[in-house]
Amino acid sequence: MSILVTGSTGTIGAQVLAHLQTRSSDVRALTRSPETAQLPVGVTAVRGDLADPDSVRAALQGVSTLFVLAPNVADELTQAMLTLTVAREAGVKGIVYLSVFGGDAYADVPHFAGKYTVERMIEALDLPATVLRPAYFIQNDLRQKDGLLKAGVYASPIGAKGVSMVDIRDIGEAAAIELTRREQAPTPLGRETYALVGPDSLTGEGIATIWSEALGGDIRYGGDDLVVMEQRTKTMLPAWHALDLRLMFGRYQTEGAVATDNDIARLTKLLGRAPRSYAAFARDAAAQWAKG
């Protein structure tokens, strides 16, 4: 039997595969293009697409544990629910589903509300699953490089309420730990839910200060203008996606997304260490940028 990882060639999927390398001998990666997929040594590429349930059925042959990461597309909810349906019919004994931190509260943010609906399906059908709820990814801020270095501005409009951003390496490791635990169990295990978060409540001004220290210069926060953010985002992403992200940042500004002490303690126990901090990420990024 084996573990199948969906979203395998994306940012998080790559982290999951990297952390599974030392934990499991039979790992498969679902990809639309197996012939060109860049995968770790020992990982088997399997053709499939979550938008095509028949391809998922074929890919699940011989699979006992499944990592479900639905793509951030307009029909994400449908793809995720049908994938879980096919997995259930195939008799998969363990599932790890990548949800989002705050999905239950952000009812007007499409990709949050969709992921929470998938969580409701998992609960209603009593699927043998671990739900992972990652906060905003720290590494998303690598996109701030030009603004930080050329204009001295941190431009992500996260506001002043606080966001417990998580390092993507911690997401990959947490997923690998739970996939392996479920794969090695002789029978299906009960449901678990983990918030995947960082140790700090980060604000726009606070992150600007972190970057000032990491870069050795004066970095200022660019402010909370969501209209400007949406317009800028539409130059890189579809309009629906830009509005979805604007709504998310709007919620960050009005409510925040701050982890509880219990959230951090449970993740620390799962990882066997404290989650990585934003300051450590910023120092590492600054060092890499300095090398050119």
Side-chain angles (χ1 to χ4, degrees):
M1 304 303 283
S2 67
I3 295 172
L4 178 65
V5 175
T6 69
S8 61
T9 58
T11 299
I12 300 302
Q15 289 292 326
V16 175
L17 290 177
H19 283 93
L20 278 174
Q21 267 191 302
T22 59
R23 289 182 166 89
S24 180
S25 59
D26 190 357
V27 180
R28 306 177 190 180
L30 192 75
T31 171
R32 290 189 294 271
S33 305
E35 60 281 351
T36 59
Q38 301 294 311
L39 301 172
V41 174
V43 175
T44 302
V46 179
R47 187 180 302 278
D49 185 338
L50 296 194
D52 177 4
D54 287 338
S55 74
V56 178
R57 285 191 179 100
L60 284 173
Q61 293 182 12
V63 168
S64 50
T65 307
L66 175 65
F67 178 69
V68 181
L69 191 170
N72 199 335
V73 292
D75 65 340
E76 173 185 346
L77 172 59
T78 298
Q79 291 193 30
M81 293 181 73
L82 294 184
T83 296
L84 289 175
T85 296
V86 171
R88 184 187 186 209
E89 292 174 350
V92 169
K93 73 170 182 178
I95 296 165
V96 175
Y97 172 63
L98 196 75
S99 186
V100 67
F101 185 68
D104 54 338
Y106 291 12
D108 60 335
V109 181
H111 72 284
F112 279 56
K115 287 179 169 63
Y116 185 61
T117 298
V118 177
E119 289 193 31
R120 288 172 54 208
M121 175 184 177
I122 289 170
E123 182 178 0
L125 298 181
D126 196 24
L127 299 181
T130 297
V131 174
L132 301 178
R133 295 172 170 172
Y136 189 80
F137 303 166
I138 286 176
Q139 277 76 7
N140 285 345
D141 281 354
L142 290 171
R143 301 169 190 157
Q144 302 293 325
K145 177 181 178 181
D146 285 348
L148 290 165
L149 298 182
K150 296 178 181 178
V153 174
Y154 175 72
S156 187
I158 68 166
K161 293 291 186 179
V163 179
S164 298
M165 294 187 188
V166 63
D167 192 295
I168 60 172
R169 294 169 292 182
D170 290 349
I171 299 174
E173 185 171 356
I177 289 169
E178 280 298 287
L179 286 165
T180 303
R181 184 176 73 91
R182 289 185 177 277
E183 173 70 4
Q184 293 177 348
T187 57
L189 302 174
R191 293 195 313 279
E192 293 282 353
T193 301
Y194 288 94
L196 302 187
V197 292
D200 307 307
S201 176
L202 300 159
T203 66
E205 295 289 352
I207 290 179
T209 298
I210 290 172
W211 282 114
S212 295
E213 295 170 355
L215 295 171
D218 185 22
I219 303 297
R220 63 182 177 83
Y221 176 50
D224 295 344
D225 194 325
L226 295 173
V227 174
V228 170
M229 187 223 78
E230 182 183 359
Q231 295 302 318
R232 185 173 65 242
T233 304
K234 280 197 294 187
T235 65
M236 301 173 284
L237 297 172
W240 69 264
H241 198 169
L243 178 53
D244 192 341
L245 292 176
R246 192 201 84 191
L247 292 167
M248 177 188 75
F249 279 107
R251 285 287 190 147
Y252 285 165
Q253 289 182 12
T254 58
E255 297 175 44
V258 179
T260 66
D261 290 342
N262 184 58
D263 291 334
I264 297 169
R266 292 193 76 237
L267 179 57
T268 297
K269 183 177 180 180
L270 180 67
L271 295 175
R273 56 167 176 79
R276 292 176 171 92
S277 70
Y278 191 101
F281 153 77
R283 289 193 297 270
D284 290 346
Q288 290 295 319
W289 295 344
K291 295 177 181 177

